[in-house]
Amino acid sequence: MKIAILGYGVVGSGAYEVAQAAHNIEVKRVLYKRPIDELGDIVTTEYEDILKDEEIELVAECIGGLHPAYEYVSAALKSGKHVVTPNKNLVAAYWDELHDLAREHGAEFRYTASAGGGIPWLFNLQRQSRSDDILSISGIVNGTCNYILDTMHNEPVDFAEILAKAQELGYAEKDPTADIGGFDTQRKCVISANLAFGTSISEEDVPVFGIQNITAGDIKYFNEHGYTCKLLMNAGQTETGAYAYVEPTLVSRGALESSVPANNNLISLTGNHIGTLSFYGQGAGKYPTGTSVIQDVLDIENGWKFSDKSEKNDVSVDNRLEAHRYYIRENGSCKITGPLSVTEAHRLASESSDEHFFMAGIRE
């Protein structure tokens, strides 16, 4: 199969290198803004060179962001080319439209690297959802936040200091808002929930509270009371609806999530028949994500189908359905609440006049 890779940054270059060792895959074109000496004449700055090339059966979009990624992916699907992408922003924002385009034009649309990076999370989530009712999903899906929280639990450092170190190590972007604000986790929650439950929720349906206000004092309290703080995505189905949210969560020292170190991820599903399955590993990076991209390519080349459920589960998110205790720090004092619904807790956070307000759900 002849393919094109759009973008040659961290993930695009990783996908290219992995593709060189893959059987039956030839990278015919790489779209990039300037020549790349080691790639020679396969590099083009014109997307039309790829779109009009009938030999190219698949486009691997590794540019990131919404635009021009959306325009490129839409055009590829409309021309009948398969599309593979690790772009969580794109998949979460245009879930329905891109799946509809793929079905309409007989193309495969795959994105297993968009949540979990190199972890085969979405691949196995989709497989399990074919024969089981997925009851809930949860997990650590942002390595930057996990590195920060893990370090704060184990070293006497404050948030600003360890964030700067994460940026120095390349774990955090120059503008870390998407990571520490929880928005990266939110998009992965949207994608995972849609695939798990056969529904179509959007980012607006998933409330987010990030870790940017956590302090060494909070961590000291958690350590003293036997808790570990992790930023988790959570989603599930009940008899009356669904819930989906992102927030710092206090888990016991014996919980699997508690021992996840550095920038690793741990993601779990609970099925009606299978019980709980957990997946651990590197959730981002050049080779973990690049490998996952090429695994999608190979699956398509081998004729393995991967798609969302054709019949939508018409369920809406109602976070009043999920309630638990919270740790809340506001105006210099902290408390453990009684059970609050997720809706109520996130309302309190949004209405607080304290710019340093922090909260974390407590998983019993």
Side-chain angles (χ1 to χ4, degrees):
M1 174 181 279
K2 294 183 179 181
I3 73 170
I5 296 175
L6 312 185
Y8 200 72
V10 173
V11 177
S13 61
Y16 176 83
E17 290 182 39
V18 174
Q20 302 313 297
H23 296 294
N24 302 325
I25 300 297
E26 177 189 341
V27 180
K28 187 176 182 184
R29 284 288 193 179
V30 172
L31 180 72
Y32 200 59
K33 55 193 173 185
R34 57 179 177 270
I36 303 169
D37 291 341
E38 62 267 29
L39 301 189
D41 59 7
I42 71 167
V43 177
T44 179
T45 59
E46 301 296 328
Y47 185 55
E48 287 297 313
D49 292 342
I50 293 167
L51 202 58
K52 292 181 178 179
D53 190 331
E54 295 183 357
E55 288 190 338
I56 294 175
E57 298 179 61
L58 182 147
V59 170
E61 184 277 307
C62 299
I63 299 171
L66 292 180
H67 305 286
Y70 165 74
E71 288 76 15
Y72 289 166
V73 166
S74 298
L77 291 171
K78 288 176 182 177
S79 71
K81 297 184 189 298
H82 307 300
V83 171
V84 166
T85 179
N87 188 342
K88 57 191 168 289
N89 299 47
L90 178 72
V91 179
Y94 294 101
W95 179 270
D96 285 334
E97 182 176 340
L98 295 178
H99 281 97
D100 288 346
L101 279 176
R103 280 191 291 268
E104 181 181 348
H105 297 280
E108 278 286 299
F109 176 51
R110 294 181 66 112
Y111 41 86
T112 59
S114 65
I119 303 170
W121 159 242
L122 293 180
F123 175 80
N124 283 290
L125 179 62
Q126 192 270 345
R127 290 182 76 243
Q128 191 60 36
S129 69
R130 296 180 304 182
S131 59
D132 199 357
D133 290 327
I134 305 300
L135 304 178
S136 65
I137 56 174
S138 67
I140 300 164
V141 292
N142 184 276
T144 300
C145 289
N146 200 64
Y147 171 78
I148 290 171
L149 294 172
D150 180 57
T151 305
M152 290 183 72
H153 269 285
N154 290 287
E155 298 178 18
V157 294
D158 62 25
F159 180 83
E161 181 183 351
I162 195 58
L163 173 60
K165 185 176 179 181
Q167 291 171 316
E168 181 183 329
L169 293 171
Y171 293 161
E173 301 288 343
K174 186 175 295 186
D175 178 0
T177 304
D179 290 323
I180 64 175
F183 304 109
D184 174 85
T185 299
Q186 177 196 46
R187 291 162 187 145
K188 294 169 181 176
C189 184
V190 167
I191 295 167
S192 300
N194 284 343
L195 201 57
F197 310 134
T199 187
S200 177
I201 66 172
S202 66
E203 293 167 57
E204 291 73 24
D205 296 317
V206 182
V208 180
F209 192 83
I211 67 167
Q212 61 269 39
N213 283 349
I214 198 168
T215 66
D218 296 322
I219 296 292
K220 183 175 183 291
Y221 179 94
F222 304 154
N223 282 340
E224 289 173 349
H225 289 79
Y227 290 123
T228 303
C229 185
K230 298 290 185 179
L231 183 69
L232 299 184
M233 70 167 190
N234 300 274
Q237 293 191 99
T238 71
E239 293 181 356
T240 56
Y243 60 86
Y245 59 96
V246 172
E247 64 188 22
T249 303
L250 305 185
V251 299
S252 68
R253 293 281 172 77
L256 283 177
E257 293 89 348
S258 177
S259 59
V260 176
N263 62 331
N264 290 290
N265 288 188
L266 178 78
I267 325 171
S268 301
L269 67 86
T270 299
N272 187 43
H273 298 302
I274 198 67
T276 299
L277 298 176
S278 297
F279 303 84
Y280 170 85
Q282 285 284 321
K286 177 176 181 175
Y287 293 115
T289 307
T291 296
S292 187
V293 168
I294 298 305
Q295 290 286 3
D296 274 353
V297 174
L298 290 169
D299 285 350
I300 293 173
E301 197 271 335
N302 288 326
W304 296 355
K305 299 291 185 181
F306 179 97
S307 60
D308 67 328
K309 297 174 181 177
S310 57
E311 293 186 6
K312 291 293 183 186
N313 180 9
D314 187 18
V315 63
S316 59
V317 172
D318 183 356
N319 283 313
R320 293 173 298 178
L321 301 171
E322 177 70 4
H324 45 260
R325 295 187 302 151
Y326 279 85
Y327 166 90
I328 289 180
R329 175 177 45 75
E330 186 174 22
N331 297 320
S333 64
C334 63
K335 65 179 180 180
I336 301 294
T337 72
L340 293 176
S341 73
V342 170
T343 297
E344 175 68 7
H346 284 252
R347 183 189 65 79
L348 290 174
S350 66
E351 293 179 356
S352 176
S353 60
D354 179 8
E355 64 178 349
H356 302 294
F357 178 97
F358 180 76
M359 72 176 188
I362 300 176
R363 192 170 73 184
E364 307 294 352

